[in-house]
Amino acid sequence: MAEQLGTIRRKFIESVSKAVISELLDGLLEDGVLNDGEKDSILEENCGRADRARTLIDTVKRKGDAASKKMIVYLQQTDPTLYSELGLSPPV
């Protein structure tokens, strides 16, 4: 799963909206993938949408396959159109 995030990284950064980033952060925080400090860091240290997207995907990818799978599931639920455009396959 982490490898799958790596392959779609550039297009994710270019395409994801601020609203979707916020929803992903909330879901990943609820699931324990991110802690409060990581979420706050992504929001406060990155002013632009692309910087937030880059930091989010890199942080989750570093956490491994389980975390990456959760992000893919949340992306599928939050923005099915972007999920399809990125060519992601459903997590198994």
Side-chain angles (χ1 to χ4, degrees), residues 2 6-7 10 19 29-30 34 36 39-40 43 45-46 48 55 59-60 65-66 75 81 86 90:
T7 61
R10 173 172 274 153
L29 178 67
E30 268 182 38
L34 299 175
D36 286 320
K39 179 185 174 194
D40 292 344
L43 291 173
E45 294 176 14
N46 301 288
T55 304
T59 300
V60 173
D65 287 338
L75 183 58
T81 304
L86 294 173

Side-chain angles (χ1 to χ4, degrees), residues 57-74:
I57 198 167
D58 289 346
T59 300
V60 173
K61 194 171 72 166
R62 276 194 302 272
K63 291 181 178 255
D65 287 338
S68 298
K69 179 179 178 178
K70 288 181 181 182
M71 180 169 163
I72 292 169
V73 168
Y74 279 119

Side-chain angles (χ1 to χ4, degrees), residues 11 15 75-88:
K11 192 162 185 179
S15 305
L75 183 58
Q76 184 179 25
Q77 295 168 352
T78 305
D79 192 342
T81 304
L82 178 59
Y83 174 87
S84 294
E85 287 174 7
L86 294 173
L88 291 166

